[in-house]
Amino acid sequence: MLGVSGIVGGGQFILAPSGRLIGISPTLLANSPFESYLVPGLILFSILGVFPLVVVYGLFRRKRWAWPAAIAVGVALVVWVLVEGVVIGFGKRLQYPHLVQGVVIVGLAVLPSVRAALR
């Protein structure tokens, strides 16, 4: 689900860097280094969109690289939400559910049973 929402959300920012497709104003970027949502959209699309889908593939195929990659996905999501919270403020849209999702991804990935399954 994370990968799909990252592709959709990031894709909408790439298609309309003003944020109009998602319904957010560029004024939210006032405290950021960005003038539009293009760069955040590219990050969202690739790191929280395509990358998680590749990791899911690796997990299903029991690839060794998938275990650390799954942890990286969870950490990336937590970092994304925290940076987003600092830049546009906390309590917006899906921040808290995504923060919990990132923590759960990391928590599940570090379980000994998951690591053992991917050895």
Side-chain angles (χ1 to χ4, degrees), residues 46-58:
S46 60
I47 296 175
L48 295 175
V50 174
F51 183 54
L53 295 177
V54 171
V55 171
V56 166
Y57 167 80

Side-chain angles (χ1 to χ4, degrees), residues 3 6-11 14 40-52:
I7 287 174
V8 171
I14 293 167
L42 291 169
I43 294 168
L44 184 58
F45 185 88
S46 60
I47 296 175
L48 295 175
V50 174
F51 183 54

Side-chain angles (χ1 to χ4, degrees), residues 89-109:
F90 286 97
K92 308 286 192 261
R93 298 189 176 244
L94 298 172
Q95 286 174 327
Y96 296 118
H98 281 142
L99 185 59
V100 169
Q101 183 181 21
V103 170
V104 167
I105 290 169
V106 172
L108 290 173

Side-chain angles (χ1 to χ4, degrees), residues 39-80:
V39 172
L42 291 169
I43 294 168
L44 184 58
F45 185 88
S46 60
I47 296 175
L48 295 175
V50 174
F51 183 54
L53 295 177
V54 171
V55 171
V56 166
Y57 167 80
L59 290 169
F60 278 113
R61 301 289 297 176
R62 295 186 183 262
K63 302 291 184 181
R64 298 188 86 175
W65 55 263
W67 179 73
I71 294 171
V73 166
V75 170
L77 182 55
V78 169
V79 169
W80 174 269

